[in-house]
Amino acid sequence: MKPLVTVIIPVYNKEKYISRSIQSVLDQSYTQIELLIVDDAATDGSLARVAEFDDHRIRVIRRETPGPGGYAARNLGVENSSGEWVAFLDADDVWLPDHLERAVQMTREYPDIPIISAGRINQTGDKQEMDPFTQHFIDDGVKVLYLSDYLKFACKGMRAMQTNTLLLNRKALFSCKIFPEGRTDRSGDLYAWVQLLARMKVMVWSPHISAISYRDVIGVSRTSTPSIKLFRDMVDDLSPYVSREDVKWIKNFANHMVQYAWLEKKKKRVSLPFSVLPGSFYWSSDPSFCLKWTVISIMPFGFLEWVHNRYLAG
């Protein structure tokens, strides 16, 4: 029987967690799946843990060299998928048992919408909380969102798409290369979500909790930084596929992501020219935001950290 859903898990040195993630897929109440484990040239015992599972739905494909962020591994998984729908799960996170069943039900209720998403729980230590978009909208029911809707909320820190929450119609995909492999070490997923909506036009968000993301796991997101250039280039990359009004929103979002990437680099003590932040902004989109952060960028970063920590302590 042809699987309806292909689940893709990229694996790079996740020996401690991968069994937990795989089991959460196999425990899904919806069983018409194939599970693609993409070995991203792991050097630990991750593949030995994978081999402990005896399930005909599991298939392993391998890459010779690791790719930062797992972007190339996910793209390879999409290329090798055979399901009508494609889903992703990080190797250190888990799905709730009814996630796929509820997501597939959404595909039946909204058959013309190619992107399905849902809520997520973030867990740090023993503390759990819903992601910001879910916190805000879980009581409002199903939401149909277009690019400008997504970006308006994303600029406020509320993103309706996350890696572990997505279900994508494979036939509607514009390419197997959803993720920006080779262009950034971190936060390429934030670029990917905008690209998906820019080219696939509409998504539906389901008010169910799909996954638990463990935020205290050490990985690429803790040891690398996002690319300022990627988010700057996002406007030119996606402008051909959207309206003039949507371009304005992409520029606005790009400004927020450039600011975020700059902050992350400063936290890691990456040396940057003074001009890199103001020179990367789209000033016409939101001059007040660009001016505020240009002024902030002139201040010593140690002082900014002191103010930030003092504010949090208060």
Side-chain angles (χ1 to χ4, degrees):
M1 180 186 299
K2 181 180 179 181
L4 178 61
V5 178
T6 296
V7 182
I8 298 167
I9 302 181
V11 180
Y12 176 73
N13 293 358
K14 297 292 184 179
E15 179 181 6
K16 184 177 179 180
Y17 311 104
I18 184 59
S19 296
R20 179 180 67 184
S21 295
I22 291 174
Q23 194 63 56
S24 78
V25 176
L26 300 181
D27 287 345
Q28 289 294 299
S29 56
Y30 186 86
T31 60
Q32 194 176 340
I33 65 170
E34 72 166 349
L35 173 54
L36 283 187
I37 305 295
V38 185
D39 171 23
D40 207 13
T43 58
D44 66 353
S46 295
L47 271 293
R49 301 284 79 78
V50 174
E52 293 173 354
F53 290 88
D54 182 17
D55 193 300
H56 70 278
R57 296 173 295 175
I58 297 176
R59 184 155 55 98
V60 179
I61 55 179
R62 291 180 169 84
R63 283 172 35 82
E64 296 300 320
T65 55
Y71 307 132
R74 290 194 188 96
N75 289 341
L76 182 63
V78 174
E79 184 179 349
N80 284 271
S81 63
S82 55
E84 299 170 38
W85 293 82
V86 176
F88 306 98
L89 180 62
D90 286 339
D92 44 26
D93 296 331
V94 299
W95 275 343
L96 273 63
D98 65 345
H99 165 52
L100 281 185
E101 183 174 359
R102 298 185 68 172
V104 169
Q105 181 59 36
M106 295 297 291
T107 72
R108 293 166 179 156
E109 294 178 10
Y110 298 86
D112 297 325
I113 295 184
I115 304 171
I116 312 295
S117 189
R120 181 184 74 175
I121 288 175
N122 296 322
Q123 180 164 332
T124 304
D126 295 328
K127 181 181 178 182
Q128 290 188 341
E129 61 180 2
M130 291 181 286
D131 71 90
F133 190 91
T134 305
Q135 288 182 39
H136 199 80
F137 291 111
I138 193 167
D139 293 330
D140 294 350
V142 173
K143 283 196 168 296
V144 175
L145 303 171
Y146 296 87
L147 178 60
S148 60
D149 303 316
Y150 173 85
L151 292 174
K152 288 173 187 177
F153 293 125
C155 286
K156 298 176 182 178
M158 297 184 289
R159 293 188 293 273
M161 279 192 269
Q162 315 280 349
T163 304
N164 298 331
T165 69
L166 284 183
L167 195 61
L168 303 177
N169 187 315
R170 192 174 184 277
K171 287 185 178 179
L173 288 175
F174 47 88
S175 168
C176 293
K177 295 189 180 300
I178 299 170
F179 296 91
E181 59 181 89
R183 300 178 67 183
T184 185
D185 291 345
R186 179 178 164 192
S187 298
D189 53 343
L190 304 184
Y191 172 100
W193 313 152
V194 181
Q195 178 174 225
L196 283 171
L197 268 176
R199 302 191 66 171
M200 297 169 71
K201 304 307 179 186
V202 62
M203 65 170 286
V204 61
W205 181 85
S206 171
H208 75 269
I209 303 299
S210 62
I212 299 175
S213 293
Y214 295 92
R215 312 306 289 172
D216 48 1
V217 173
I218 302 298
V220 66
S221 63
R222 299 292 192 272
T223 59
S224 58
T225 61
S227 166
I228 291 175
K229 185 178 186 303
L230 175 68
F231 292 116
R232 171 72 189 183
D233 290 347
M234 179 170 60
V235 176
D236 289 337
D237 291 348
L238 303 182
S239 291
Y241 307 106
V242 301
S243 68
R244 187 172 299 178
E245 182 63 26
D246 282 342
V247 170
K248 294 178 182 178
W249 276 108
I250 295 175
K251 287 181 177 179
N252 200 22
F253 181 70
N255 285 340
H256 283 78
M257 291 298 97
V258 164
Q259 172 256 325
Y260 162 71
W262 178 85
L263 276 176
E264 290 300 301
K265 289 182 183 299
K266 298 299 285 188
K267 288 177 185 177
K268 297 290 194 302
R269 298 299 191 265
V270 176
S271 179
L272 296 171
F274 282 114
S275 61
V276 69
L277 185 64
S280 299
F281 280 143
Y282 287 94
W283 283 78
S284 61
S285 171
D286 189 348
S288 60
F289 176 89
C290 299
L291 180 60
K292 178 182 78 172
W293 278 98
T294 295
V295 172
I296 289 173
S297 72
I298 298 172
M299 302 177 185
F301 193 72
F303 172 74
L304 296 179
E305 287 186 310
W306 177 82
V307 171
H308 177 70
N309 293 335
R310 184 179 178 87
Y311 172 77
L312 286 181

